Amino acid sequence: MFDSHVHTDFSGDSDMKIADAIKRADELGIGLVITDHMDINDYIKNRSGFDVDKFFEAYTKLRSDKLLLGIELGLREEAVERNVHLVNNYDFDFILGSTHAPYASKHEYEFFDAEVYVGKSKREAYEEYFRSMIRGVKENEYIDSLAHIDYIARYSRYDDKELYYNEYKPLIDEVLKEVALREKSMEISTRRIGNKTSADELMKIYKRFRELGGETVTIGSDGHYPGAIGANLKSGLEMAEACGLKPVYYKKRKIHFIK
């Protein structure tokens, strides 16, 4: 089993040392895919991600069948060419694509920030989020898996943050169709599936992914500290099985099935 979404201190929002991540994974008997953030945003000062050369210099010697080196790329219009350059010029095992910000916005705000919700109803904000995700999938063919479809439900500023599938069904279905059409994986993010309502809504989404032709999912904790690594992976596997989807991980950009 692999936790396919883990951040170390190359990510700006994580202080976790790679040694601590490896120790925790060994305790759990699982493999890790390191997916540090590369969120290029030309409207945030000094927002260009991490030094990829230093990343490989530090981690290549630790690479093994149980420790794989990926990257989480923020999908934004102005980042596409630079993302493609990274994918084509570095030896990543896995490319995870994420919608962290409005795709074509000309400001610094991301879906993590309160400012992105100012003056918008929940419906307006969530529809903007899914339209950004649709463009991200269509215009970034290089990704292997689409991360955390429910990311906005972590950080939006509404009384009820939950993502209800039936409220956004046409847009969510379009996301799922585009991922399935390109034979990419969806990620089952385990961050929120410990909550029954969240798990029930996500189950609807992943069942629909299967109905629309999707076949595979990666499973990841989005862990930023040792205690988060491996969280709810068993629940993620159970969700994949219930939805008829095959859990996988990527090594050298090739798909491997988790048995």
Side-chain angles (χ1 to χ4, degrees):
M1 182 61 197
F2 275 83
D3 186 336
S4 287
H5 191 162
V6 174
H7 296 278
T8 70
D9 56 4
F10 275 94
S11 292
D13 59 353
S14 175
D15 296 323
M16 181 160 58
K17 302 299 183 186
I18 187 70
D20 294 329
I22 292 170
K23 179 182 177 183
R24 179 58 178 158
D26 287 345
E27 290 171 354
L28 296 171
I30 62 173
L32 293 181
V33 187
I34 305 301
T35 53
D36 282 319
H37 285 294
M38 181 65 72
D39 269 297
I40 296 169
N41 184 334
D42 289 342
Y43 304 97
I44 298 180
K45 187 177 181 180
N46 299 322
R47 176 62 68 85
S48 59
F50 59 92
D51 188 316
V52 178
D53 289 316
K54 289 183 179 178
F55 174 85
F56 277 100
E57 181 182 346
Y59 289 173
T60 295
K61 60 182 176 289
L62 301 172
R63 204 173 197 172
S64 70
D65 288 341
K66 288 288 189 149
L67 182 73
L68 305 177
L69 302 181
I71 191 168
E72 181 180 3
L73 294 175
L75 305 181
R76 286 180 60 91
E77 187 175 53
E78 79 270 15
V80 173
E81 289 186 11
R82 282 167 284 180
N83 285 349
V84 170
H85 175 81
L86 289 167
V87 171
N88 289 341
N89 287 278
Y90 290 92
D91 184 26
F92 290 108
D93 286 298
F94 176 51
I95 309 297
L96 186 62
S98 294
T99 299
H100 291 146
Y103 191 75
S105 68
K106 304 295 190 246
H107 60 65
E108 69 269 30
Y109 303 135
E110 303 190 349
F111 290 113
F112 175 83
D113 301 307
E115 291 87 347
V116 83
Y117 303 101
V118 172
K120 295 176 186 173
S121 67
K122 179 181 176 182
R123 175 164 293 279
E124 289 170 334
Y126 279 49
E127 288 183 350
E128 179 182 40
Y129 171 72
F130 285 115
R131 290 192 184 99
S132 291
M133 191 176 287
I134 291 162
R135 282 196 62 187
V137 174
K138 287 181 175 180
E139 297 179 19
N140 296 269
E141 298 272 357
Y142 52 81
I143 67 172
D144 298 316
S145 183
L146 180 67
H148 43 49
I149 195 168
D150 60 331
Y151 177 84
I152 195 169
R154 298 182 195 172
Y155 302 116
S156 70
R157 300 310 201 269
Y158 304 103
D159 291 338
D160 183 358
K161 298 179 175 65
E162 189 55 70
L163 170 61
Y164 298 104
Y165 170 63
N166 288 334
E167 291 185 5
Y168 305 98
K169 184 178 186 299
L171 288 171
I172 293 174
D173 281 2
E174 189 169 352
V175 171
L176 302 177
K177 285 176 187 176
E178 295 297 337
V179 174
L181 177 67
R182 290 162 174 75
E183 299 182 340
K184 307 295 185 180
S185 300
M186 288 290 294
E187 178 185 66
I188 294 179
S189 176
T190 64
R191 175 78 74 87
R192 298 175 63 251
I193 63 175
N195 175 281
K196 186 180 186 307
T197 300
S198 301
D200 289 346
E201 293 301 320
L202 287 168
M203 184 77 80
K204 295 174 188 176
I205 291 171
Y206 293 112
K207 283 183 176 179
R208 185 61 173 150
F209 180 51
R210 183 70 189 99
E211 290 171 356
L212 293 171
E215 296 186 357
T216 61
V217 288
T218 57
I219 302 175
S221 67
D222 200 359
H224 288 68
Y225 60 94
I229 291 174
N232 296 318
L233 287 191
K234 182 179 178 183
S235 296
L237 282 171
E238 291 170 350
M239 183 176 286
E241 182 178 2
C243 296
L245 295 164
K246 299 171 185 174
V248 301
Y249 67 96
Y250 287 78
K251 181 179 179 182
K252 299 292 186 180
R253 306 291 312 283
K254 295 187 182 301
I255 200 165
H256 294 262
F257 293 92
I258 294 173
K259 299 178 181 178

